[in-house]
Amino acid sequence: MNTIGIKAGEEKALIYRLRSLLTERSRPVAFIVGSGISAGAVDGVRAIVASMRTMIGDPGEVALFDGRVTGPSDAEKYQQAADFALEFRDQDWLNLVIRQAVLGACPDLTPEERSRLARADEKELEAFERSSPLWRLNPATQALGRLLQLLPRERRGPVITTNFDPLLEIAVRRAGARASWQQIDLDGKLSRGEDEDAVDIAHVHGYWRQGDTLHTVHQLQKSRPQLHGSLRGSLSGHAVVVVGYSGWDDAFSRSLREFVREQDMQRTDLIWCSYDPLTDESFSSGLLGELLEAPRRSFYQGIDANRLFPGLVDSYVAAVECPRGWRRVDRSLLDDLGTRTPGEAEAVAFFDGAQPDWPEAVNPRIPRLSLVGELTEAVTQCLDGGGAGAGGDGRIVAAVGPMGEGKSMALRQATVDLARTRDDVTVLWRERGTSVDPESILAIPQRPGQHILLVSDDGAHVVDDLKRLMPQAKAQGRTDIHVLLAAQEWEWRNRRPWQDLGGFLAGTVKVHGLLEQDGEDIVAAWRDFGALRELAKTPERERARKLVDLSQATFGRQESSLVGAMLALRYGPLLGEHVEELLRRIERHPMLREAFLMIAVLHAAFDTKNRRIRPMSLRILAQALEAKQTDIEMQVEDTLRKEAALSDHGENLWVRHVSIAEAALRISRAQRPDELVALIRKVVGAAVRLSPATSALDDDLYSTAYLSSRLQIAQEAVAASEAAVAAAPARLSYRTSLIAALRTAKRLPDAGEAAERAAKEMASMTDPDSKFGFLLEWGTVAGQDRRPESNALLVGAALALSVEESQVVYALVNMGVPLTNLHRQNPDPVYLDALRGVVGLLKARRRSRRQDGFLARHSAYLSACGTTALAGEDAWDALQAALDKLRPNAHPTLAPHLKSAGKSVRPPKGA
């Protein structure tokens, strides 16, 4: 037990510290390594002692050997055996023993080949060292060689080793770098090689095939002043990492100790790594004891070089070759995730609709939909050159489907599979909010035979970034860069990636809903986790079929068929109770209930048919709650995600499923009748305050500012429109929305007053282009208030302002209603002729399906009156005649607008 106040760090902390040294600091890092780094490849001292005993052979001499080699530790026995060898044999024989031991790192050699090579000359041994594929490298040596190859020279200090073997040089060469080695068997200076790109390795106890190797106490403790002096110049200003070195009491250890303790060398850090736990006894004597008083030294325990260096390489590569905002998904990460015990609560939350994360993706108990295999196959074909698009440039695969159909989970699981099975692929996962920056992506080194796979959820949000990246990659010959995306169908459709990305799009994997096996796997997982809930009442043989049928029946609609089916089957009529309990839980946290209900309002009002409609955005929610966006992300989003209540796609925030949103809204209306009205006022006011005064609105602002048109509850729609007007009273379009909301709420007097008030203040409005819509809405109010003459005149004024063909059609459709009502009240043929003109003008123009319905009713009225439509100039003249007849008796409030529109009903030329 360590009671002397030395705190020894652990392996994971050491990896992070070394990564920081190698990537964030300016000082070079030097390594001192001993026999521990070769463990598992080259025989240790115990095996070498046994080998020496075998090589002696003679029984009498073996008995003498056994009598001499009696030390309490393997290290002392080894030194005693070396003393015996020098007394009973010579240095050459001892060198032969070491060669035999080193060649043990070539296990495929026969004993005869190993014995012959051990006696070969230095030239043959050098050729064998450099060219033979038989050398076996353990994970530590292989990874350290790779790390040294990756490090830039300014970060790479010398490597000093007490080992005799060439495995580190071999590892460096196999990693693609050059090794510059020197051996110091008696005394000599440490020096850097002339080749600046080479890795400098110094063997301070000798080298296996050249000169003598040092073993005995006399040899090791002999003063080496040149080595001691050069240590200062070689390591000054470095971070020195000691791994796999026991710190024998020799000249090198003494030099190292004195160097570290020198007070003028305080810019040198010593990081000592011990395989064994560090106790009081560890520091009671020897090198470690003397290092206690040294400045800038730290100790780590439980350090296995075969874990440390592979982990450090993965961490270093992830930091250097992974741009900020991306996560490298590799075996190290997956193995680390795999060691965590999967929590049942998290898995059940996933079945309740929580967004998936990496622990769920690697959890073998979470089912894999057939989509995972389809994605993996599509990407594999793309990587192997079989998924090319037009021109052979196709390197983007996208999974596209409705929200909540398992795309995000399938994307993560496919990423896991590719990271585990493809050694030739570096997988980088885009974290939320990160842009795909061409400069940082193209800065990742291109390596022969290697691919880079960029993976992104919310794929529609990076289309513009990819539009910049892929042509630049092509221009630089970077055919190694591939992309895997998952995207919501409506967002993908709106971004039109097939136009923007052209031939770079290798293929689209369409999400198709659940297959039979998918249903079986999901229900089995529910049963395994005890999460069947209400579905447990269904006979076992019918459960999967019930899930698949319900999912397929609702697939392709606005909302997730998968999440919806899971909720419906597992909760059934108890979903309301589940949501009510959710509301009770989140009410304990500041802002959560308000935030959740605001998001629910926008979600329930979402309309995929309108390209400009968006759900709640992060910036609007932050403004509504008077909080920072970072606070919303940390305090609101994270908690609601854990509650399976929220999903986020880019800056868009959704309730996990519309059934949850609608249930929450129903509960709020029942529990607190005024709650939603107040929240709607807040969120709409926030969107309007974020909006520009005159220019066009961003889609998220537009969608929320004009929320009233999509709300079904009249009181809430009126509240939304009133909030917009209160926040920006000079914007005419908000006044128009208020008039429409009041009209829809059957509050015609209030709607009329709002219209007249806006008409009087028209000169101060900041968006005069909105007058067309205002006049039509005012006219509709007048018509519903049984004033068809005002209705017709206002629509006529709007028609005269029409600047687009769609506005002309819209105004003509609206004109037919008051003309029909006027003719019914007064059989004057002027109104019937005007209606004939409207029908003729509409027939000559392109219309929507809904507008076709109005046209059919107007045409039916003409038929009932025994007449037909007019065309061309006759149609316009007939319409003009009817409005001219109405104009002298117009209501006074209409006069300014009729005057500004002019006497002619015809739209400007070109409309």
Side-chain angles (χ1 to χ4, degrees):
M1 181 177 181
N2 183 349
T3 61
I4 61 176
I6 294 297
K7 183 178 180 181
E10 304 296 335
E11 188 173 282
K12 182 163 289 188
L14 176 60
I15 289 177
Y16 281 114
R17 179 175 180 182
L18 295 181
R19 184 185 71 178
S20 173
L21 283 170
L22 295 172
T23 60
E24 301 172 8
R25 310 299 172 85
S26 58
R27 288 187 299 161
V29 177
F31 292 95
I32 296 176
V33 297
S35 59
I37 197 176
S38 301
V42 175
D43 289 342
V45 292
R46 178 182 296 182
I48 292 177
V49 170
S51 178
M52 292 169 67
R53 189 177 186 276
T54 301
M55 289 175 63
I56 290 172
D58 182 88
E61 193 173 358
V62 168
L64 292 173
F65 181 87
D66 292 342
R68 293 278 192 92
V69 182
T70 59
S73 68
D74 290 338
E76 288 174 296
K77 289 178 180 178
Y78 174 77
Q79 290 183 334
Q80 291 168 349
D83 280 331
F84 183 94
L86 291 178
E87 182 179 353
F88 282 72
R89 294 289 191 274
D90 56 21
Q91 181 68 50
D92 290 338
W93 188 86
L94 190 52
N95 291 342
L96 180 65
V97 170
I98 295 305
R99 288 185 182 182
Q100 289 268 30
V102 169
L103 288 169
C106 302
D108 292 335
L109 287 173
T110 65
E112 293 76 15
E113 291 173 326
R114 184 174 174 182
S115 178
R116 187 196 66 78
L117 273 172
R119 291 171 169 79
D121 60 26
E122 197 274 335
K123 186 175 181 181
E124 183 179 353
L125 290 176
E126 180 183 8
F128 180 79
E129 173 190 311
R130 289 182 172 275
S131 62
S132 176
L134 299 179
W135 294 99
R136 179 184 63 189
L137 302 181
N138 65 350
T141 307
Q142 185 175 11
L144 180 53
R146 167 78 167 140
L147 179 65
L148 294 168
Q149 179 265 330
L150 290 170
L151 290 177
R153 180 173 175 81
E154 63 271 15
R155 295 291 180 88
R156 188 180 65 228
V159 180
I160 301 173
T161 180
T162 56
N163 296 344
F164 312 123
D165 63 74
L167 298 187
L168 194 49
E169 284 85 352
I170 292 169
V172 167
R173 294 187 195 110
R174 287 184 180 177
R178 294 186 294 278
S180 174
W181 66 274
Q182 68 175 132
Q183 63 92 14
I184 306 174
D185 52 2
L186 294 175
D187 193 14
K189 295 181 179 180
L190 293 170
S191 61
R192 302 299 296 266
E194 295 181 0
D195 187 344
E196 292 189 355
D197 292 329
V199 177
D200 293 312
I201 304 171
H203 294 261
V204 294
H205 285 177
Y207 198 51
W208 78 293
R209 60 175 171 80
Q210 189 178 82
D212 293 333
T213 51
L214 308 183
H215 311 274
T216 69
V217 173
H218 173 73
Q219 289 174 325
L220 295 173
Q221 291 189 344
K222 185 177 180 181
S223 177
R224 303 171 76 180
Q226 292 186 63
L227 175 62
H228 175 73
S230 63
L231 203 62
R232 176 194 294 265
S234 297
L235 298 183
S236 181
H238 287 57
V240 180
V241 184
V242 182
V243 183
Y245 176 57
S246 61
W248 285 4
D249 186 16
D250 61 6
F252 173 70
S253 291
R254 289 198 303 272
S255 297
L256 177 63
R257 177 180 64 238
E258 292 174 17
F259 165 73
V260 172
R261 294 186 64 180
E262 290 175 351
Q263 293 301 315
D264 61 343
M265 290 291 110
Q266 289 188 10
R267 288 192 62 250
T268 300
D269 284 354
L270 179 71
I271 300 172
W272 188 281
C273 306
S274 172
Y275 178 81
D276 297 318
L278 292 173
T279 65
D280 284 352
E281 185 178 353
S282 305
F283 296 96
S284 62
S285 62
L287 180 58
L288 289 185
E290 296 191 36
L291 289 178
L292 277 176
E293 302 303 321
R296 300 178 70 98
R297 87 288 179 274
S298 51
F299 301 96
Y300 292 83
Q301 63 185 355
I303 306 303
D304 184 339
N306 284 316
R307 290 195 311 262
L308 171 67
F309 285 114
L312 178 57
V313 167
D314 287 341
S315 184
Y316 175 79
V317 170
V320 173
E321 298 191 358
C322 187
R324 186 176 297 276
W326 293 78
R327 168 182 284 195
R328 181 178 172 124
V329 182
D330 54 22
R331 291 175 185 171
S332 175
L333 171 66
L334 300 179
D335 289 345
D336 183 46
L337 289 169
T339 61
R340 304 176 188 176
T341 302
E344 293 207 358
E346 289 80 2
V348 173
F350 170 69
F351 296 136
D352 282 348
Q355 282 186 287
D357 206 341
W358 294 111
E360 290 77 39
V362 301
N363 188 341
R365 298 172 68 191
I366 299 291
R368 288 168 169 258
L369 302 183
S370 54
L371 178 61
V372 177
E374 295 169 26
L375 272 181
T376 305
E377 181 180 358
V379 174
T380 298
Q381 290 181 356
C382 189
L383 291 169
D384 295 339
D393 295 320
R395 285 184 286 278
I396 302 174
V397 173
V400 179
M403 181 177 68
E405 297 296 351
K407 299 184 305 301
S408 294
M409 185 58 160
L411 185 72
R412 288 179 184 268
Q413 289 175 327
T415 300
V416 168
D417 291 349
L418 290 163
R420 279 178 170 160
T421 59
R422 297 286 302 230
D423 292 330
D424 60 338
V425 178
T426 297
V427 181
L428 301 179
W429 176 274
R430 185 184 75 93
E431 300 288 8
R432 185 163 54 100
T434 301
S435 63
V436 183
D437 174 51
E439 183 177 350
S440 61
I441 297 298
L442 294 173
I444 302 173
Q446 183 175 12
R447 304 193 183 282
Q450 295 291 309
H451 304 279
I452 296 169
L453 179 63
L454 308 176
V455 186
S456 173
D457 208 350
D458 301 328
H461 296 194
V462 299
V463 167
D464 291 341
D465 292 342
L466 294 176
K467 185 180 177 181
R468 294 190 296 272
L469 169 65
M470 300 311 289
Q472 291 185 42
K474 180 181 179 181
Q476 295 183 23
R478 293 299 300 268
T479 58
D480 58 320
I481 297 176
H482 301 261
V483 182
L484 172 60
L485 307 172
Q488 286 195 51
E489 193 169 44
W490 68 276
E491 290 184 318
W492 188 254
R493 183 176 63 248
N494 289 348
R495 295 297 177 102
R496 302 181 183 275
W498 52 90
Q499 295 178 354
D500 291 339
L501 298 178
F504 295 114
L505 192 61
T508 300
V509 178
K510 291 287 187 180
V511 179
H512 47 61
L514 292 185
L515 301 182
E516 193 72 35
Q517 188 60 52
D518 296 333
E520 295 283 353
D521 293 343
I522 290 173
V523 170
W526 290 350
R527 184 181 63 248
D528 183 33
F529 282 105
L532 285 169
R533 295 187 182 271
E534 290 296 293
L535 189 60
K537 300 175 182 178
T538 300
E540 185 172 359
R541 64 182 179 277
E542 300 176 15
R543 294 169 184 168
R545 170 48 52 192
K546 200 171 183 178
L547 173 62
V548 173
D549 287 348
L550 181 58
S551 176
Q552 290 289 0
T554 55
F555 182 78
R557 299 181 185 177
Q558 175 174 321
E559 284 297 330
S560 157
S561 66
L562 176 56
V563 174
M566 290 196 300
L567 291 171
L569 291 181
R570 294 177 58 245
Y571 285 99
L574 302 180
L575 180 61
E577 295 180 13
H578 170 66
V579 176
E580 191 169 358
E581 176 58 30
L582 166 66
L583 288 172
R584 278 195 294 269
R585 287 197 306 273
I586 65 177
E587 195 169 17
R588 302 167 190 164
H589 303 275
M591 299 189 295
L592 281 188
R593 181 180 173 108
E594 284 194 4
F596 178 64
L597 290 174
M598 288 177 179
I599 297 168
V601 168
L602 269 293
H603 189 148
F606 185 73
D607 180 9
T608 57
K609 296 178 182 178
N610 189 330
R611 289 187 60 185
R612 293 207 63 188
I613 298 304
R614 293 290 181 273
M616 177 68 77
S617 71
L618 179 60
R619 63 171 171 170
I620 294 176
L621 184 62
Q623 177 77 11
L625 295 174
E626 299 180 349
K628 296 178 180 179
Q629 288 193 29
T630 53
D631 292 339
I632 296 298
E633 291 174 338
M634 295 176 62
Q635 300 176 27
V636 175
E637 287 189 60
D638 288 349
T639 303
L640 290 179
R641 269 195 293 269
K642 292 174 183 176
E643 289 283 356
L646 176 80
S647 63
D648 58 282
H649 299 273
E651 294 293 304
N652 297 331
L653 305 175
W654 306 78
V655 175
R656 195 63 181 100
H657 191 264
V658 70
S659 62
I660 297 176
E662 292 173 343
L665 298 179
R666 287 194 300 270
I667 293 167
S668 172
R669 293 182 186 115
Q671 291 178 345
R672 307 173 187 179
D674 297 328
E675 181 177 35
L676 290 181
V677 169
L679 295 181
I680 287 169
R681 289 183 184 278
K682 280 187 178 182
V683 76
V684 172
V688 175
R689 288 193 299 274
L690 289 170
S691 301
T694 57
S695 57
L697 276 61
D698 293 340
D699 286 350
D700 65 326
L701 300 175
Y702 171 89
S703 183
T704 305
Y706 296 101
L707 175 64
S708 62
S709 64
R710 306 192 312 281
L711 294 177
Q712 302 301 312
I713 306 297
Q715 181 187 12
E716 295 169 6
V718 172
S721 56
E722 286 177 340
V725 172
R731 195 163 189 125
L732 182 60
S733 56
Y734 296 152
R735 301 289 193 101
T736 304
S737 294
L738 174 58
I739 297 166
L742 292 168
R743 173 179 59 81
T744 304
K746 307 300 182 185
R747 294 169 55 181
L748 291 178
D750 293 335
E753 287 180 12
E756 292 178 10
R757 186 161 52 249
K760 292 177 182 178
E761 299 173 8
M762 187 64 64
S764 64
M765 295 299 162
T766 58
D767 54 334
D769 291 345
S770 299
K771 190 173 182 180
F772 171 83
F774 165 73
L775 292 173
L776 286 182
E777 182 55 46
W778 188 8
T780 302
V781 170
Q784 292 187 3
D785 201 27
R786 299 182 180 180
R787 292 184 285 117
E789 65 286 348
S790 292
N791 188 0
L793 286 169
L794 287 166
V795 174
L799 186 59
L801 296 176
S802 301
V803 294
E804 298 176 1
E805 176 69 6
S806 60
Q807 290 180 324
V808 174
V809 173
Y810 191 34
L812 288 171
V813 167
N814 277 267
M815 182 67 81
V817 177
L819 290 175
T820 300
N821 290 332
L822 284 167
H823 184 255
R824 283 174 174 157
Q825 294 175 8
N826 182 355
D828 190 326
V830 69
Y831 302 124
L832 185 63
D833 287 345
L835 181 61
R836 293 171 64 200
V838 166
V839 171
L841 292 170
L842 279 173
K843 285 184 175 180
R845 285 169 165 79
R846 179 177 295 179
R847 307 167 303 277
S848 69
R849 185 174 299 177
R850 186 169 183 271
Q851 290 167 341
D852 280 342
F854 283 98
L855 177 59
R857 287 195 291 274
H858 299 332
S859 298
Y861 185 79
L862 294 182
S863 297
C865 295
T867 188
T868 58
L870 296 174
E873 292 299 317
D874 292 339
W876 284 114
D877 290 343
L879 181 55
Q880 184 71 54
L883 296 178
D884 287 344
K885 183 169 185 176
L886 292 171
R887 192 181 295 270
N889 298 315
H891 191 278
T893 57
L894 274 60
H897 305 286
L898 298 180
K899 182 178 180 181
S900 64
K903 293 184 177 180
S904 175
V905 74
R906 290 174 182 260
K909 288 185 178 181

